[in-house]
Amino acid sequence: MDDGADWYIEVAYLEWERRCYVEIVVCVKRVPDTETRVRIDRDGKTLDASGVKYVMSPYDEFAVEAALRKRDEAGEGEVTVVTVGGADSAETLRTALAMGADRAILLEGEVTQDGLATARALADEIGKLAPDLVLLGVMAADHDQQQVGPMLAVVLDHPCVTGVSSFDLVDGRAVCRRGVEGGTETLELPLPSVITITKGEYEPRYASLKGIMAAKRKPLETKAAALPDPRLRVMTLELPPERTGGRIVGEGPGAAADLVRLLREEANVI
Amino acid sequence: MGKILVVVEQREGRLRGTAAEVVSAASELAVARKATVEVLLPTGPGGVSDAEALGAHGAEVIEVVSDPALATYHPDGFARLVERRVRSGGYDVVLMAATAQGKDLGPRVAALLDVPLAQDVTAIESVDGEVEFLRPVYAGKAIARVAIDADPKVATLRPNVFQPASRPAAGGVVEGALDDDSDGWPTRVVGFEESGGDIPDVAEAGVVVSGGRGLKGPEHWEILEELRSALGEEAGLGASRAVVDAGWRPHSEQVGQTGKTVSPRLYFAIGISGAIQHLAGMRTAGTIVAVNKDPDAPIFKVADYGIVGDLFEVVPRLTEEIRALRERSA
Ligand SMILES: Cc1cc2nc3c(=O)[nH]c(=O)nc-3n(C[C@H](O)[C@H](O)[C@H](O)COP(=O)(O)OP(=O)(O)OC[C@H]3O[C@@H](n4cnc5c(N)ncnc54)[C@H](O)[C@@H]3O)c2cc1C
Ligand SMILES: Nc1ncnc2c1ncn2[C@@H]1O[C@H](COP(=O)(O)O)[C@@H](O)[C@H]1O
């Protein structure tokens, strides 16, 4: 009998502990601000970075916000932010620390358009941290790859849902909601898991002055990224053909008939 | 002789429009590579009534795998199925559409096969036996030409960009089996809540009607919905960030740098000023139409056709004219 009671208490304790402690890793990336006017570098392959302002990729801000809220709802836990990038990326990590993340890891290495190489470098570190949950942005606002999250999940052998607008952590599972054609889908997956976040419930907070000060004392570790050689090679980067501004068909509702005729006869699109 | 695998999508037992686009792109590449094109079509128990139509676009074999667990997209199940097919079939290129499904499935399949992925590609070129992919980056502000130094080469192709082509091939339909236990798929779909009606996703729609702050309030979307439905089934709705932030429209409809990048045949920007972040998301559209009361609005610099005027007067007339045209040509 005694045994049974002990067992019961232990299970209850584990349940309690799980509810109260959550470890979350958020992958963040430093990208050009969306206002950037793109110019091509002399190498013909990369963005000319002179004068470009860099920010945390917008979707990653949602992911950081989601992680902070889940940690605070759980009552206890740790949010670690990780990035693969150059020394400049420390700035992006500091931003996340100022928002409220607990610690940061900079995996120093080249930023590549080979999403699988990036995923492997991230997995090498995250595998050791063994968090309950890994959050990423649905897409980084530089190369619009939309792939590192699900690739990371495959490498870690974790289940993964992409494009999640809100989720709950319940009894060792993540219950995720995401917009799909014609409605909202709810998916459930066991932890540990990987979730990519889109705009939805997690409007990012601004870092307070206190947060910015506190961030300076939070741990930021730098190590070399275990980045395999990229196998997706960028051969050239070019500006898209200019759209030659078209013509004003006319003014007011009277121009509607002419427009429809042009769309049918000239553009052939209706 | 190489082999190209194309994974296509169905909806309610019929092929989606992107199926013909991707098979056509594959068969064009197949000509250059002296390869054959095979199709994998996962679907529910009812099968797909028009599957053999892909033969006309160059599919040699169309394998239909019908199973209740495949009726709607399941990330774990689909990825495992495609991985097994690629491994056993010896394909050197794997293509799918960069739809919501394809952009989720592509990365998983590539990672399972331990190869990179070219996501959301807008052109494929065969150069000296090598395949090169063009893909928009920085939300369409630049185009990267990339090559993959691994086999198979996996890519997803942006909807509405590749034209369906006539390239007749055998097109034999064969039945395949799932051979997998769906109980072992860790992710479970536990609910679906319908909203917004049965209209295509803005990133996949062939025609997009987008509204901005010029509409003055969510109650006026009726006007856009009328225009959209006059344009037919393939038309979807889009929005600027200003109206999404105001809560008038869902984020899933947002076009632009922090929304979706779209390339429809025809794009209507109604009451949208044309900020750089919005232009980034739609500048690769085929034909752009703008309606704005401000003749200096930046949207007119990229629009092929513009009407300067009050959208509340112009759009209803436009809808009427399009309806009349459709009736005449019906
Ligand atoms: C980091 C960042 C990311 C962003 N990402 C995006 C994004 O993804 N997508 C996006 O769209 N924006 C994005 N933006 C916002 C962008 O900068 C603009 O603020 C936004 O696109 C403006 O939306 P709008 O054109 O609807 O509104 P406004 O700029 O206010 O334009 C309204 C237009 O309606 C016209 N109008 C008004 N009344 C009428 C009428 N009766 N008839 C006809 N015309 C009328 C006006 O002349 C005006 O041109 C982003 C901004 C930032 C900083
Ligand atoms: N170099 C990187 N370092 C850390 N996280 C990254 C990196 N690249 C991509 N990610 C994460 O993966 C998400 C999707 O990126 P992508 O697949 O490149 O569009 C981003 O929003 C980040 O969360």
Side-chain angles (χ1 to χ4, degrees), chain A residues 33-35 55 58-59, chain B residues 211-216 239-243 245 248 251 254-260 267 270-279 281 291-299 307-314:
Chain A
D33 184 85
T34 57
E35 290 275 354
V55 296
Y59 291 114
Chain B
R213 191 144 43 192
L215 270 106
K216 308 237 174 349
S240 73
R241 170 162 161 186
V243 308
D245 282 355
W248 301 355
H251 179 254
Q254 184 176 321
V255 171
Q257 190 133 11
T258 45
K260 289 178 175 150
Y267 187 90
I270 312 285
I272 292 179
S273 59
I276 184 169
Q277 297 95 346
H278 189 83
L279 299 184
V291 178
N292 199 303
K293 67 175 185 192
D294 173 8
D296 297 323
I299 191 74
I307 294 184
V308 177
D310 183 353
L311 71 90
F312 295 100
E313 294 170 14
V314 175

Side-chain angles (χ1 to χ4, degrees), chain A residues 245-252 255-256 259 262, chain B residues 269 288-292 299-300 302-309 314:
Chain A
R247 69 181 113 144
I248 301 293
V249 177
E251 283 184 24
L259 173 62
L262 288 166
Chain B
I288 297 173
V289 174
V291 178
N292 199 303
I299 191 74
F300 287 124
V302 300
D304 299 284
Y305 303 106
I307 294 184
V308 177
V314 175

Side-chain angles (χ1 to χ4, degrees), chain A residues 32 34-38 47 58-59 113-114 116 120 141-147 150-151 154 159-162 178 180-188 190 198-199 231-241 243 245-257 259-260 262-264 266-267 269-270, chain B residues 11 16 103-104 107-108 111-112 114-117 119 132 135 137-150 186-195 197 201 204 245 251 257-259 265-266 276-277 283 285-289 300-308 313-314 317-318 321-322 325 329:
Chain A
T34 57
E35 290 275 354
T36 303
R37 296 212 173 259
V38 169
L47 176 74
Y59 291 114
Q113 282 195 42
D114 181 346
L116 186 58
R120 286 200 181 284
D142 52 0
H143 306 131
D144 307 343
Q145 299 267 61
Q146 219 169 123
Q147 54 182 256
M151 285 177 159
V154 168
C160 170
V161 177
T162 59
R178 65 162 172 192
V180 292
E181 197 171 81
T184 308
E185 192 177 51
T186 307
L187 300 107
E188 210 175 272
T198 190
K199 183 170 180 159
R231 292 178 293 164
L232 186 117
R233 202 163 15 100
V234 179
M235 312 181 64
T236 59
L237 187 67
E238 284 173 29
L239 296 179
R243 278 198 93 97
R247 69 181 113 144
I248 301 293
V249 177
E251 283 184 24
L259 173 62
V260 170
L262 288 166
L263 290 176
R264 160 68 54 108
E266 191 177 85
V269 283
I270 55 173
Chain B
R11 182 148 192 266
R16 303 196 72 147
K103 283 193 274 190
D104 183 277
R108 296 172 194 265
L112 286 166
D114 190 20
V115 294
L117 167 71
Q119 180 90 295
E132 295 176 1
R135 49 180 311 275
V137 291
Y138 305 106
K141 292 179 201 166
I143 312 282
R145 175 183 290 268
V146 302
I148 296 174
D149 299 324
T187 310
R188 318 235 136 243
V189 180
V190 293
F192 181 77
E193 202 184 308
E194 234 178 78
S195 63
D201 185 276
E204 296 168 30
D245 282 355
H251 179 254
Q257 190 133 11
T258 45
R265 270 191 302 114
L266 176 58
I276 184 169
Q277 297 95 346
R283 59 175 300 148
T287 300
I288 297 173
V289 174
F300 287 124
K301 296 212 179 70
V302 300
D304 299 284
Y305 303 106
I307 294 184
V308 177
E313 294 170 14
V314 175
R317 272 290 279 283
L318 197 53
E321 294 289 344
I322 289 170
L325 175 82
S329 35

Side-chain angles (χ1 to χ4, degrees), chain A residues 84-151:
Chain A
V84 177
D88 299 342
S89 294
E91 191 191 336
T92 311
L93 294 174
R94 288 279 175 217
T95 304
L97 292 174
M99 286 172 73
D102 300 292
R103 65 191 189 103
I105 303 173
L106 169 60
L107 300 172
E108 235 177 321
E110 209 172 319
V111 176
T112 160
Q113 282 195 42
D114 181 346
L116 186 58
T118 307
R120 286 200 181 284
L122 289 167
D124 183 72
E125 185 62 27
I126 296 170
K128 284 180 241 167
L129 299 172
D132 301 300
L133 187 64
V134 186
L135 300 183
L136 301 91
V138 67
M139 172 173 95
D142 52 0
H143 306 131
D144 307 343
Q145 299 267 61
Q146 219 169 123
Q147 54 182 256
V148 171
M151 285 177 159

Side-chain angles (χ1 to χ4, degrees), chain B residues 81-107:
Chain B
L81 172 65
V82 178
E83 181 203 4
R84 280 196 306 278
R85 282 305 180 277
V86 176
R87 286 196 189 281
S88 63
Y91 298 96
D92 43 21
V93 178
V94 180
L95 302 177
M96 48 194 111
T99 51
Q101 166 177 325
K103 283 193 274 190
D104 183 277
L105 179 60

